[in-house]
Amino acid sequence: MALLEVRDLSVRYEPRLHRPLTAVDRVSFDVGEGEFVGLIGESGSGKSTLGTALLRLTERPGRISGGSIRFDGKDITDLPEDELRAHRWRDIATVFQSSMNSLNPVVRIEGQFRDAIEAHTDLRGAAVTKRVRELFEMVMIDQRFISAHPHELSGGMKQRVNLALALANRPRFVLLDEPTTGLDVVVQRSILDNIRRLQQEQQFAVLFISHDIGTVVDLSDRILVMYAGRLVESHAAQGLLRDPLHPYSKGLLGSYADPREETIRITYVPGRPPDLTQVQHGCSFAPRCPERIALCGEQAPELEPIDGGLAACHVARLQRTGNPDGLELPPRTVGFAGPEFVKTQEETARVLDREPFLRVEGVSRVFERRHGLRRTRVEAVTDVSFGLRPGEVTALVGQSGSGKTTLARLVTAVERPTSGRIRFQPEDGAEVAVESLRGKGLRDYRRQVQMVFQDPYSSLNPTKTLEYALTRPLRNFRGMTAAQAREEAGRLLERVALTPSSRFLGRYPYELSGGQRQRVVIARALAAQPRLIVADEPVSSLDVSIRAEVLELLQSLVHDSGVGVLYITHDLLSARMIADEVLVLNGGRVVEQGPALQVIRDPADDYTRTLLAAVPNPFADTLVP
């Protein structure tokens, strides 16, 4: 008997003002004692809804509409809250996605542990304090933070505290819902290694929910793939790498590449998941699938055993178990035959021969803080120099706090350097000393320098249409009339592949997916016809398929318009996918600088090697053609 048994589980949302939808549709799987199971899929596939249902935390207008959940042989699907409370934190625990919001901001850390431990064990007083110290040691946090408030901890430390809190009462099952989203790669790797070590030591079962297939494959024994509310594949981790069954799994795997390769090739799944408020006919993945046959549009496939795994795919079944009706089938492949994003070394060589239009020379930025009569100095950026050429992407790579964003603020003239020079050469006119700009000169410079922010969900005003968002910079910076601005806004949307533009101009941001919103943000940046775009973690919050799509868009815009891009990231893989040159920052200093392939293939600094080691590489030990 498995520890967790899920059978035909369905979750339905029935809001009063919108159409009802089935977010989880007849899902069945088991998790055994001590097993580490990954659950992957794009945003909107139903992963978090499934996790919430397993914990019995589904809130109205959602409800479990069918199926059963059994934990250790006991049916908990309809168990009363009073009885459920005895299992939570003792047998079943969770680490939620947002470390920033998972802790009570007004209660000290020890008090939050004390509540969870005293409610479910007989430990009291000094025994609780001893257990909290053991837990802090377990997740490698300095014990002086036990008495701290949550705001005194970094994001990575908060998530370690959440992990320790989940393990406080030695649970048998832990659900991890995107536990490292938003954290930089080194902190992410540290937390995930910690989770896997503790799981192997304590033998609790894990369901690890993520959209990042590289991280999931690195950690999991078995992987469940979810699409449009249904499980489409279940496979051992290494089996999924060697021979994925479902085309959707192939598409997710295709979004990874080895950053050390001379030419980077990444495939991605085109289109978007279906609207679950509409009736689905046939296989829900068929409209995006390069392997579809006529049967896929007529009949929804069931999850069934195929070659050592489970898959819901007509083509995989017919290819591997026989084709008695002689249907015409596509060739059997391991890769995904979808759109491809390619970055070659030849393109980089051509770009690096050009003269820079932006030169940063020996720039430093020191912040002073006053504590009563005392002053403290913080060197955020120290003696940084680099140049940016037309049509070049330069990546600033480093952990949180390394000085990346401060350097971007200096380049955009939001901050002024304490020392050093920043020189900008417009397409026509004399060279500009950026650090000395005031008034009209500063306004003219900011027209030439535009930002693409990290979070596409908060980068657009939710109360304004896309037409307003795009026409405002056109009227402010280019002096267009309302009619001219509307026409140009349509062209900008077409340029970022939101077509036909007439369908999008009147929409509000909430009507778009994350990838579509980021395309609008890029279109808004292009509206002022800048020479430089500063892109601050533009893909870190996006699904892997959308990530490749947005990077391909940025690459094509750079190639076609000659705009330079300063690309800020903590991820050397995404830097390699788009950048020509890489600057690695640590503690405000450039510790390594050079062509992207050279820095990644032959790193000279230990810190660069640390960043590289933190990048998940699902194909490290497996060759996938």
Side-chain angles (χ1 to χ4, degrees):
M1 181 181 69
L3 178 65
L4 178 71
E5 299 172 275
V6 181
R7 294 291 178 269
D8 295 320
L9 185 67
S10 296
V11 179
R12 188 164 173 81
Y13 286 93
E14 297 172 335
R16 291 169 58 190
L17 302 178
H18 301 282
R19 291 180 179 176
L21 63 91
T22 300
V24 174
D25 187 10
R26 293 174 293 131
V27 166
S28 298
F29 66 94
D30 294 340
V31 178
E33 290 269 12
E35 189 178 17
F36 200 117
V37 178
L39 176 62
I40 59 172
E42 294 169 282
S43 297
S45 61
K47 307 183 303 297
S48 291
T49 299
L50 174 59
T52 303
L54 296 180
L55 298 171
R56 287 283 316 277
L57 294 175
T58 304
E59 295 183 345
R60 299 178 65 182
R63 64 181 177 88
I64 295 176
S65 57
S68 66
I69 307 163
R70 298 184 71 84
F71 181 80
D72 197 22
K74 183 176 185 177
D75 192 330
I76 63 170
T77 318
D78 300 306
L79 204 64
E81 284 293 323
D82 287 344
E83 293 183 49
L84 268 176
R85 195 171 294 117
H87 291 283
R88 289 175 178 155
W89 294 117
R90 190 189 68 189
D91 297 321
I92 302 171
T94 186
V95 178
F96 292 107
Q97 179 171 347
S98 174
S99 63
M100 307 302 172
N101 302 325
S102 297
L103 298 170
N104 189 327
V106 299
V107 177
R108 294 184 187 274
I109 300 298
E110 184 177 3
Q112 301 189 48
F113 276 86
R114 191 172 290 279
D115 287 345
I117 293 170
E118 291 183 352
H120 296 282
T121 72
D122 295 328
L123 297 180
R124 296 292 183 272
V128 174
T129 302
K130 181 182 177 183
R131 177 60 180 156
V132 176
R133 291 183 182 279
E134 289 173 359
L135 290 163
F136 265 58
E137 189 174 332
M138 190 188 300
V139 295
M140 292 183 260
I141 299 180
D142 192 315
Q143 294 190 3
R144 64 191 172 91
F145 289 105
I146 289 175
S147 60
H149 283 95
H151 72 267
E152 298 176 87
L153 278 62
S154 68
M157 289 172 68
K158 287 181 188 178
Q159 202 62 310
R160 286 170 191 253
V161 167
N162 283 322
L163 174 60
L165 196 56
L167 301 180
N169 296 314
R170 298 179 177 88
R172 298 174 64 191
F173 173 75
V174 179
L175 188 143
L176 306 173
D177 187 2
E178 304 269 13
T180 58
T181 297
L183 303 178
D184 65 53
V185 287
V186 175
V187 175
Q188 183 180 103
R189 169 55 56 187
S190 171
I191 290 173
L192 293 175
D193 286 348
N194 223 345
I195 289 171
R196 191 51 162 151
R197 175 181 62 81
L198 293 170
Q199 188 266 340
Q200 289 173 338
E201 289 173 3
Q202 300 181 20
Q203 285 298 298
F204 52 84
V206 172
L207 182 63
F208 178 39
I209 298 174
S210 180
H211 64 256
D212 186 345
I213 193 170
T215 300
V216 173
V217 170
D218 265 359
L219 294 172
S220 304
D221 304 315
R222 181 164 55 94
I223 294 176
L224 308 175
V225 183
M226 197 166 184
Y227 182 78
R230 303 191 71 187
L231 288 185
V232 297
E233 183 164 356
S234 173
H235 217 147
Q238 290 305 309
L240 186 77
L241 284 177
R242 284 193 302 270
D243 190 18
L245 301 172
H246 199 281
Y248 182 58
S249 305
K250 298 175 188 178
L252 293 177
L253 285 168
S255 61
Y256 273 86
D258 187 341
R260 297 167 185 81
E261 291 292 329
E262 187 147 330
T263 298
I264 293 284
R265 296 182 182 277
I266 287 177
T267 58
Y268 59 89
V269 182
R272 295 289 173 266
D275 180 356
L276 296 180
T277 64
Q278 306 293 325
V279 176
Q280 304 297 311
H281 299 286
C283 174
S284 56
F285 187 64
R288 306 172 74 187
C289 182
E291 299 181 27
R292 64 183 175 272
I293 58 176
L295 180 62
C296 300
E298 299 165 0
Q299 181 182 328
E302 294 297 324
L303 193 70
E304 54 188 321
I306 302 174
D307 275 7
L310 300 171
C313 178
H314 294 307
V315 174
R317 175 177 56 80
L318 294 169
Q319 286 174 335
R320 295 157 193 266
T321 63
N323 182 12
D325 297 327
L327 298 176
E328 185 176 346
L329 301 176
R332 181 171 162 176
T333 64
V334 175
F336 185 76
E340 190 174 56
F341 169 64
V342 180
K343 175 72 173 180
T344 67
Q345 190 59 16
E346 290 75 19
E347 293 172 3
T348 295
R350 285 195 298 270
V351 167
L352 294 180
D353 280 341
R354 300 170 186 166
E355 282 296 311
F357 69 88
L358 178 76
R359 288 181 290 113
V360 176
E361 301 171 349
V363 162
S364 298
R365 180 68 170 101
V366 177
F367 293 98
E368 288 194 354
R369 295 176 180 171
R370 294 188 62 174
H371 302 275
L373 298 177
R374 284 175 37 222
R375 287 190 179 186
T376 57
R377 289 165 54 87
V378 178
E379 291 191 26
V381 172
T382 305
D383 195 26
V384 172
S385 299
F386 66 93
L388 186 63
R389 301 160 184 83
E392 180 189 9
V393 180
T394 293
L396 302 178
V397 182
Q399 290 176 261
S400 301
S402 61
K404 307 185 302 295
T405 300
T406 298
L407 191 52
R409 289 169 69 84
L410 294 171
V411 168
T412 54
V414 174
E415 298 275 358
R416 299 189 184 279
T418 306
S419 62
R421 310 191 315 162
I422 302 173
R423 295 293 179 266
F424 175 78
Q425 179 61 61
E427 286 187 291
D428 50 4
E431 187 177 72
V432 173
V434 174
E435 70 275 8
S436 304
L437 290 174
R438 301 283 190 282
K440 183 179 182 302
L442 183 59
R443 176 184 169 86
D444 290 344
Y445 174 70
R446 285 184 175 157
R447 185 186 73 79
Q448 302 269 2
V449 180
Q450 292 291 304
M451 290 285 300
V452 174
F453 295 102
Q454 178 174 352
D455 183 5
Y457 295 92
S458 58
S459 295
L460 297 168
N461 188 330
T463 66
K464 302 293 184 182
T465 64
L466 304 190
E467 180 181 344
Y468 176 86
L470 294 175
T471 56
R472 191 176 180 193
L474 293 169
R475 301 192 70 177
N476 287 348
F477 288 122
R478 293 170 61 182
M480 291 185 174
T481 65
Q484 291 171 330
R486 178 180 170 81
E487 187 177 341
E488 180 62 18
R491 282 195 288 267
L492 286 167
L493 288 176
E494 299 276 349
R495 193 172 174 187
V496 296
L498 291 177
T499 57
S501 60
S502 56
R503 282 182 52 207
F504 290 92
L505 282 171
R507 289 191 180 184
Y508 289 86
Y510 70 84
E511 299 178 88
L512 307 182
S513 69
Q516 288 175 324
R517 292 188 202 201
Q518 200 64 301
R519 286 171 177 268
V520 174
V521 173
I522 292 169
R524 183 177 63 184
L526 293 171
Q529 295 181 324
R531 289 208 79 187
L532 169 64
I533 290 177
V534 178
D536 188 358
E537 302 271 16
V539 297
S540 65
S541 62
L542 302 177
D543 289 328
V544 285
S545 55
I546 301 174
R547 190 179 306 175
E549 196 177 317
V550 171
L551 288 176
E552 183 184 42
L553 171 63
L554 278 172
Q555 180 74 3
S556 65
L557 292 172
V558 165
H559 184 268
D560 295 342
S561 64
V563 66
V565 175
L566 193 61
Y567 180 75
I568 299 171
T569 183
H570 60 251
D571 179 8
L572 274 170
L573 174 58
S574 70
R576 174 67 185 96
M577 285 164 63
I578 190 171
D580 303 297
E581 188 170 22
V582 168
L583 279 74
V584 181
L585 282 91
N586 184 19
R589 296 179 181 271
V590 175
V591 296
E592 191 151 357
Q593 181 174 357
L597 181 60
Q598 176 186 315
V599 169
I600 290 171
R601 187 180 278 180
D602 189 22
D605 191 83
D606 287 342
Y607 180 69
T608 310
R609 286 191 279 271
T610 299
L611 290 176
L612 268 173
V615 175
N617 184 2
F619 305 118
D621 303 312
T622 307
L623 293 176
V624 178

